[in-house]
Amino acid sequence: MADLAATGVMLRAIPFFQGLTQSELTALAPQFHIENFRRGELLAGRGFQRVEHYQHRVWLVCRGVVAAYTITKQNTRKILFFLGAGKLLNHNVFDTKPNTILGEAMTDAMLLSIPRRTFAELVAASPVLTSALFAHYETDLWRMSHQLKNTAGYLSVERKLAIKLLKWIVTTNKLEIFAFYTLALGVLTLVVCIIETVMGINIFAGTPL
């Protein structure tokens, strides 16, 4: 990976910086380094050997696609976003919380990186960058809220089915039918248990208990 400085033209192409003047971009560009990643390469390195370097820098996608992901409690990878050119990867610019979002290059990718503290100082001193950072976080919160609604595993399958069934009952006024079938199922279950107990067989399997 080459350690080259960015240019004002490269920053101009990134929406995050479009509120800055050309002279501001020209002055800001040398503080960003270009880092190239091949498809499938992890930003934090295999085995997290580059994790300190990754954690202490702010990352912007200049070219290509990066998958932003996190590690679940089951030690599996959950992809949060696919980030294209112009997108900011970090959620820890001001280091109020540890950065739990990792990145993998889904294509050959070029990223711009800058020390996190340096970027935080730039944002704090520039209303334009502060506004851009707020807009970035608002967008990610919106996307995460929609992902949370559609994420399997937060509710068990049984609870999801029960919720859908309850919605159907309420919207179609089928409470009487639901109550009837529930009662019938309960009676049938009781009858089966009694027969199996008396006869000592498993009705459905046809084998002794």
Side-chain angles (χ1 to χ4, degrees), residues 103-143:
E104 177 182 346
M106 303 305 292
T107 65
D108 288 350
M110 176 188 293
L111 277 75
L112 304 183
S113 75
I114 184 173
R116 185 196 54 75
R117 289 184 180 179
T118 301
F119 190 73
E121 292 170 358
L122 292 170
V123 170
S126 170
V128 172
L129 295 182
T130 300
S131 178
L133 187 62
F134 275 127
H136 162 73
Y137 283 160
E138 283 183 347
T139 300
D140 278 3
L141 284 172
W142 181 85
R143 293 176 68 184

Side-chain angles (χ1 to χ4, degrees), residues 91-97 116 119-121 123-124 133 137:
H91 286 159
N92 68 324
V93 171
F94 291 98
D95 202 31
T96 55
K97 296 290 182 180
R116 185 196 54 75
F119 190 73
E121 292 170 358
V123 170
L133 187 62
Y137 283 160

